[in-house]
Amino acid sequence: MSNKPANNIQDLQYFGEFGGVNPSISDSATYTFLHAKTMLDTFEGHAEGCYLYSRHTSPSNLYLNEALAAMEFTETANVAASGMGAITSVLLQVCGAGDHIVSSRTIYGGTYAFLKNFIPKLNITTSFVDITSLEKIEAAITSTTKMIYCESISNPLLEVANVTALSKIAKKHNILLVVDNTFTPLIISPQKLGADITIHSLTKFINGTNDTVGGVVCASQEFIDSLRSVNDGAAMLLGPVMDSFRSASILKNLRTLHIRMKKHSENALYLAEHFEKDGLKVVYPGLKSHSDHELFKTMYNEEYGFGGIMTIDVGTLKKANELMELMQHNNLGYLAVSLGFYKTLFSAPGTSTSSEIPEEEQVEMGLSDGIIRFSIGLDNDIERTYRAMHKCMTEIGVL
Ligand SMILES: *Cc1c(COP(=O)(O)O)cnc(C)c1O
C-alpha cells in the first residue's frame, strides 16, 4: 500500500458485471444458494465470497468498505447507515455494564448525548476530559476503562488531539484509542499514528454532496468481524445498515475527495488569514496563532492542508445570527448544520450542533455563543468571497 491515502483509493479497480467502469450495484436483500450446506457455512462466516442477507453485508458495501479501509490504512472497514450508527456500534461492542470510557469533552453533540444520557442506562459511565491535557486523560483512566474516545479535531472548538501521544497512553493501559476523523479525512491518518479504530461520518466531507447520511468504522479484521458477528455483533444486531445504492454513490464521490479536500483547505486558509489580519477572533489549525498549529503539523499529510473548518467569534449570538442571515442573503453560503459541501455552510454551534451540552459547560470549555462555525466551500474565486463576506461583516458592525 502506498503511503498516500488518496493513491490507495485510486489504485483499487472494481468493474461491473458487464465490464462497467463502476461496480454493479447489488439490488437484493437476500441471496440464493445452489447447496444448502453452503448457506449454513455462509451463515457461520466460513464461505468466502458468498452473500447471505444484506444486513450482514452486500457486494456494494464491501467495495466501499475496502476503499475506506485503504484510505485509513486499516485491514478492513464496515460502513453504517449514519455516523452515529458507526459510533454507537463501536461503543456498545467494546463496552458492557460496569465499563468506563475516557472521552474528550468537546465532541460531536450526538456522541456527547449518547455518552452522557444514553449509555448510563446500561451502566456504562464516561469521564469527559480536556483532550489537550495528556495528564488529565491518563489520570482519568481506571481499572474499568475500556477506551479513550476523541475526535482528530474537535467539534466545534477545533482542538487538536495528539493521537500519537494518546495512543501511547492507551497502549500503556491496554485500552483502545478510538478516533472520530470526520473533520480531517486524508489529512490525518489516525491508524498510522497509533489509533486502534477510526470512525467517520461519511455524511460530511467524504460524500461531500449532502444527499445522504452515512458512517464507517475502519479497524482490524478481528474487530470488524466482532461487530458483524451474528451472535453478538453490535453492527449486525442493532442493524444500522447502509443501503447498496447509497454505498455505490458514496464510492463514486470518494474518488474525488483528495481534490475537494485540497480546495476546502486552500479556501479556508485564505479566509482565516485574511479575517485574522482584519482583527477578528479566528480559530483555524492552519494559523500560527492556533495553540495546536505545530502539533497538527507533526501529524498531517501536508498536501491536503489544514482542513475546511474554521470558527469566528463575533461576540454575541445576536450578531452571529445577523451575520449568518446576511451572508446567506448574499448567497455566500447557507445557514445550515453539517459540513463538507461545495457551498460554505455556517451555524452557531452553541445553539445547534452542541446544544446538547449544558450552557454552564459550554462557557467552561470556551464555547462562547458568538462563535460561528464555517465549513468553507469549494468557491472558485475565494478572493471575491472574502470581499463580499468582509462587506457583510462591516455592515453588521463586527469589523
Ligand atoms: C456529523 C458528525 C457525526 C455524526 O454523523 P451522522 O452521519 O450525522 O450520524 C459524528 N461525528 C462528527 C465529528 C460529526 O461531524
Side-chain angles (χ1 to χ4, degrees):
M1 238 189 332
S2 149
N3 263 338
K4 296 195 169 197
N7 293 10
N8 296 342
I9 296 170
Q10 292 200 322
D11 289 347
L12 294 169
Q13 286 186 326
Y14 307 125
F15 297 111
E17 56 194 314
F18 302 108
V21 294
N22 289 306
S24 308
I25 300 174
S26 41
D27 194 23
S28 297
T30 191
Y31 303 80
T32 59
F33 288 83
L34 287 175
H35 304 287
K37 166 89 170 59
T38 323
M39 181 186 271
L40 183 66
D41 290 345
T42 305
F43 193 78
E44 291 174 344
H46 306 312
E48 190 77 23
C50 290
Y51 298 92
L52 181 77
Y53 183 62
S54 285
R55 174 158 45 76
H56 301 196
T57 191
S58 69
S60 294
N61 287 6
L62 282 192
Y63 293 131
L64 182 59
N65 287 340
E66 258 183 63
L68 290 164
M71 178 180 86
E72 287 298 2
F73 303 95
T74 57
E75 285 174 12
T76 188
N78 192 51
V79 292
S82 69
M84 286 308 297
I87 292 165
T88 53
S89 297
V90 168
L91 296 173
L92 293 172
Q93 188 67 32
V94 174
C95 300
D99 288 339
H100 174 250
I101 296 166
V102 174
S103 168
S104 166
R105 62 180 185 177
T106 49
I107 46 173
Y108 178 70
T111 313
Y112 181 83
F114 186 77
L115 289 172
K116 177 133 180 153
N117 308 325
F118 195 95
I119 45 172
K121 290 196 282 193
L122 308 174
N123 196 22
I124 299 167
T125 53
T126 305
S127 300
F128 295 98
V129 185
D130 177 357
I131 198 69
T132 63
S133 169
L134 298 172
E135 299 74 37
K136 285 186 189 155
I137 291 284
E138 186 159 17
I141 296 172
T142 69
S143 59
T144 58
T145 307
K146 285 288 185 295
M147 69 164 77
I148 300 173
Y149 183 94
C150 68
E151 294 173 5
S152 50
I153 304 190
S154 77
N155 187 13
L157 289 176
L158 311 188
E159 295 164 339
V160 178
N162 187 340
V163 179
T164 318
L166 289 167
S167 83
K168 287 193 183 122
I169 295 174
K171 284 196 175 63
K172 182 173 149 196
H173 293 270
N174 203 20
I175 59 178
L176 298 175
L177 174 61
V178 180
V179 180
D180 177 340
N181 198 27
T182 300
F183 277 29
T184 48
L186 297 177
I187 298 173
I188 291 178
S189 306
Q191 223 73 17
K192 288 200 127 185
L193 304 170
D196 300 287
I197 298 171
T198 302
I199 301 178
H200 283 280
S201 165
L202 303 175
T203 315
K204 316 295 171 54
F205 289 105
I206 291 180
N207 187 49
T209 47
N210 259 298
D211 52 3
T212 186
V213 290
V216 69
V217 180
C218 301
S220 65
Q221 187 72 51
E222 190 187 352
F223 184 73
I224 297 297
D225 285 349
S226 76
L227 273 183
R228 284 208 208 117
S229 160
V230 288
N231 297 312
D232 60 3
M236 178 67 75
L237 300 175
L238 296 170
V241 189
M242 176 174 284
D243 181 75
S244 289
F245 280 89
R246 280 309 182 187
S247 52
S249 71
I250 295 171
L251 177 66
K252 285 177 274 190
N253 289 350
L254 176 66
R255 292 166 174 164
T256 56
L257 179 64
H258 59 297
I259 303 170
R260 292 185 279 116
M261 288 315 293
K262 287 177 190 177
K263 192 68 179 169
H264 285 299
S265 292
E266 180 191 312
N267 284 352
L269 182 63
Y270 183 94
L271 292 179
E273 284 179 343
H274 282 73
F275 286 131
E276 184 173 62
K277 256 190 223 123
D278 291 335
L280 285 174
K281 260 167 74 183
V282 184
V283 175
Y284 181 65
L287 293 174
K288 288 199 181 65
S289 60
H290 191 289
S291 52
D292 298 325
H293 177 68
E294 291 304 322
L295 169 64
F296 195 99
K297 289 208 293 192
T298 65
M299 297 195 296
Y300 79 154
N301 298 315
E302 193 177 345
E303 62 179 312
Y304 306 110
F306 295 91
I309 310 295
M310 67 171 198
T311 67
I312 295 182
D313 189 348
V314 298
T316 63
L317 181 59
K318 185 167 169 291
K319 284 244 183 289
N321 288 343
E322 275 172 25
L323 180 60
M324 290 190 293
E325 285 170 13
L326 186 62
M327 287 191 298
Q328 175 162 264
H329 181 76
N330 285 283
N331 199 10
L332 293 168
Y334 300 140
L335 209 179
V337 297
S338 199
L339 32 126
F341 200 34
Y342 82 98
K343 196 92 175 174
T344 293
L345 303 178
F346 31 77
S347 58
T351 53
S352 56
T353 53
S354 300
S355 55
E356 295 88 342
I357 303 175
E359 215 175 306
E360 326 80 79
E361 288 179 43
Q362 294 197 20
V363 172
E364 193 195 305
M365 59 179 67
L367 195 56
S368 128
D369 66 3
I371 291 181
I372 301 175
R373 185 188 74 186
F374 288 79
S375 164
I376 303 302
L378 302 171
D379 305 32
N380 180 53
D381 185 350
I382 198 68
E383 290 177 44
R384 181 182 75 155
T385 302
Y386 166 68
R387 285 195 304 274
M389 282 185 174
H390 189 280
K391 197 158 161 271
C392 293
M393 289 175 184
T394 313
E395 221 172 296
I396 298 292
V398 301
L399 267 181

